Amino acid sequence: MPAIYLKSNYIAFILFFIAGLFCINSSFAQDATSHSTFKFKTVIVDAGHGGKDPGAHGAYSKEKNVALSIAKKLRDLINDEMSGVKVVMTRSTDVFVELHKRADIANDNHGNLFISIHCNSSPQKRSTERGTLLLVYGFHRSQEQREALRENASIYIEKDYKDKYNGYGSDAVVNTIVLNAFQQKYRKQSIQFGDLVDHEFKKTDGRRSHGVKEQGVLVLAQSGMPAVLVETGFINNASDEEYLNSSSGQTEIARSILRALKQYRDNLEGR
Ligand SMILES: [Zn+2]
């Protein structure tokens, strides 16, 4: 009898879980279709790395500084050109902010979209690869984890990272299921925004593009909103590094993200 009792409890749990998924999906559908009521209010701009975490290195520059410069330019452009949209920065100076705190800032401020600014780098000292890449949180595919592993490496600087990140690095099956269910709600919108940014980089700026990819990037997974990580170029490629450090290059990147953001908001609001 206890075995049957346990089994029915288990079935009840599964049904409850599936019902939860259904609720998540219907609230997503509501967000995306009730055009007349949805208002895009808050965007979170996240400059990657910072402080004791420099990120990737080029020949003469560091990812943390490039990311912050572009993030500030993007903030200023949104403030100038998108009235009614509030920008929240996860950092605006050269400080170290733990990944889960970045997600907390985003969630506490009820962001409608999380944009994380980074630079890519290849394993070689000097890269022949160049161009942009957009990452959205998705199921792990072992061959495509290079960028995710590199961007997630920030947590090894943090203390107690296994407690803070749902047992990252260990088996946490239930957490993975919940995380994945949670992510389904925002996956589609994240890809939509990623595609818009990708289009601007390619068509307007003529950048080489590595497209939009799904990877297990932690900072995106923990933010309860659509979220995209922008790899703005390869910092260890000579021509990309020059572009990424130039004021004109940074402005071009920020402007492209701004145009994509306006389009994304207009689509959601049914304008
Ligand atoms: Zn990075």
Side-chain angles (χ1 to χ4, degrees), residues 1 3 11 28 38 68 103 106 125 136 153 159 164 179-180 195 198 201 208 221 243 261:
M1 292 300 280
I11 290 166
F28 167 70
F38 179 80
L68 183 58
K125 194 165 192 299
V136 303
K159 282 193 296 187
K164 290 180 200 159
L179 204 60
N180 287 339
D195 281 340
D198 188 50
F201 283 157
R208 182 170 297 186
Y243 178 78
L261 181 61

Side-chain angles (χ1 to χ4, degrees), residues 63 70 74 114-120 132-135 151 193 197 201 220 228-233 253 257:
E63 179 183 0
I70 296 170
L74 177 59
F114 184 89
I115 306 174
S116 190
I117 309 287
H118 287 255
C119 305
N120 214 335
T132 60
L133 170 67
L134 285 306
L135 297 178
E151 299 299 6
F193 179 67
V197 178
F201 283 157
L220 303 181
V228 172
L229 189 149
V230 185
E231 301 278 16
T232 53
I253 291 165
I257 299 172

Side-chain angles (χ1 to χ4, degrees), residues 28 83 124:
F28 167 70
S83 63
Q124 306 80 27

Side-chain angles (χ1 to χ4, degrees), residues 64-130:
K64 64 173 185 176
N65 298 323
V66 171
L68 183 58
S69 293
I70 296 170
K72 283 175 160 178
K73 285 188 164 67
L74 177 59
R75 173 197 63 193
D76 295 345
L77 285 169
I78 297 167
N79 283 335
D80 287 349
E81 298 191 20
M82 295 182 79
S83 63
V85 174
K86 181 181 155 196
V87 188
V88 175
M89 302 278 283
T90 56
R91 71 177 179 99
S92 46
T93 57
D94 183 19
V95 289
F96 178 68
V97 183
E98 296 175 336
L99 292 184
H100 71 101
K101 285 201 178 134
R102 295 169 192 257
D104 286 349
I105 292 167
N107 295 331
D108 290 348
N109 283 282
H110 307 290
N112 298 113
L113 179 67
F114 184 89
I115 306 174
S116 190
I117 309 287
H118 287 255
C119 305
N120 214 335
S121 85
S122 61
Q124 306 80 27
K125 194 165 192 299
R126 305 303 296 146
S127 174
T128 50
E129 286 182 73
R130 61 188 169 87

Side-chain angles (χ1 to χ4, degrees), residues 253-270:
I253 291 165
R255 283 221 156 269
S256 275
I257 299 172
L258 178 80
R259 279 191 304 275
L261 181 61
K262 285 178 177 172
Q263 186 67 54
Y264 177 79
R265 177 201 55 187
D266 291 353
N267 290 348
L268 279 179
E269 292 186 354

